[in-house]
Amino acid sequence: TDADGFVDISGDGGVLKKVAVAAPAGARAAKVGDTAAVHYTGTFPSGEEFDSSRRKAHRKNGFPFCVGAGQVIRGWDVGVATMKVGERADFKLRFDYAYGENGIPGRIPAHADLWFDVELLGIEAAAGEADEGQDETLALPAPGEGGEGGAGGEGGEVTTITVGGQAIKMDKLGPIVVNSDGSLSRISNWPTMNEQERQTALRLIAKRNKKRLEGQG
């Protein structure tokens, strides 16, 4: 614990956490594979705010994502997995647990450390399908979609791999996730994930694809 009350939860100083509001007694803990709904405000260490779900009408119920699937920056996967429903916590993320060496041009500088105020509103068991919504800051658009911070068609040749009997399209930037509404999304921190994290993410994507196809049957 540092002088400000932050605890190193990543083991390497990359993700520091301080509980601002404790969860009520008996609250359920989030775990990898759950779909978490959170409210968040992101700031630079200077205090300048760069993003907040609390200011977005379409995020009135929070931002949903599958914990541990790489749908969000690495620090979020690490941090939210330590939270319980109703808890609110402050996180300090080193750049390699945020948007890495490149950042997001025009939005997040290269090598930027980021701070987040995160509130865990609710979770859905891993057995349920993760919400497909992707936030414009926390996930990169797929090749050809453009948009701020997008991949812009830089993924190169697309190949198809099979995981758990399900086809997943890949290029040099990682898997291309097809959402239930037909839109495409990215695993934003794929380049910084280790092999075990990548395999876990691919299995979760395959599971979601299977459920989606069954639902269409």
Side-chain angles (χ1 to χ4, degrees), residues 129 180 207-217:
E129 182 176 2
S180 57
K207 184 176 180 180
R208 290 166 56 199
N209 287 350
K210 181 178 180 180
K211 286 181 176 293
R212 189 180 306 121
L213 290 172
E214 289 173 347
Q216 295 174 350

Side-chain angles (χ1 to χ4, degrees), residues 2 16 30-31 47-48 64 66 77 91-93 107 112 115 119 121 124 129 132-133 140 149 179 189 195 203 208 216:
D2 67 11
L16 305 181
K31 62 181 184 298
E48 178 188 355
C66 184
D77 275 337
F91 294 95
K92 294 182 179 180
L93 307 184
R107 303 185 72 175
W115 294 5
E119 179 182 4
L121 303 176
E124 180 181 331
E129 182 176 2
E132 305 292 346
L140 297 176
N179 300 318
N189 61 325
E195 185 60 28
R203 287 195 297 270
R208 290 166 56 199
Q216 295 174 350

Side-chain angles (χ1 to χ4, degrees), residues 116-183:
F116 285 94
D117 161 12
V118 179
E119 179 182 4
L120 181 54
L121 303 176
I123 52 179
E124 180 181 331
E129 182 176 2
D131 187 281
E132 305 292 346
Q134 295 294 320
D135 185 78
E136 56 269 31
T137 293
L138 296 172
L140 297 176
E145 287 194 311
E148 292 182 298
E154 298 176 356
E157 182 181 357
V158 176
T159 59
T160 301
I161 64 171
T162 301
V163 178
Q166 301 299 312
I168 299 176
K169 293 186 180 298
M170 299 275 297
D171 61 21
K172 69 178 183 180
L173 297 178
I176 301 171
V177 183
V178 182
N179 300 318
S180 57
D181 62 0
S183 64

Side-chain angles (χ1 to χ4, degrees), residues 2-93:
D2 67 11
D4 295 323
F6 282 84
V7 177
D8 178 4
I9 60 172
S10 60
D12 62 0
V15 182
L16 305 181
K17 175 186 178 182
K18 181 171 70 173
V19 176
V21 178
R28 184 175 172 185
K31 62 181 184 298
V32 172
D34 286 345
T35 297
V38 303
H39 264 320
Y40 67 90
T41 298
T43 62
F44 299 110
S46 65
E48 178 188 355
E49 181 181 309
F50 62 84
D51 192 21
S52 178
S53 64
R54 298 178 176 98
R55 299 183 185 279
K56 300 176 181 179
H58 71 292
R59 294 296 183 197
K60 64 181 180 179
N61 295 319
F63 168 67
F65 71 97
C66 184
V67 180
Q71 295 178 347
V72 292
I73 54 179
R74 186 180 174 194
W76 270 40
D77 275 337
V78 172
V80 174
T82 70
M83 299 181 72
K84 294 182 178 181
V85 175
E87 179 182 334
R88 187 165 180 168
D90 295 316
F91 294 95
K92 294 182 179 180
L93 307 184

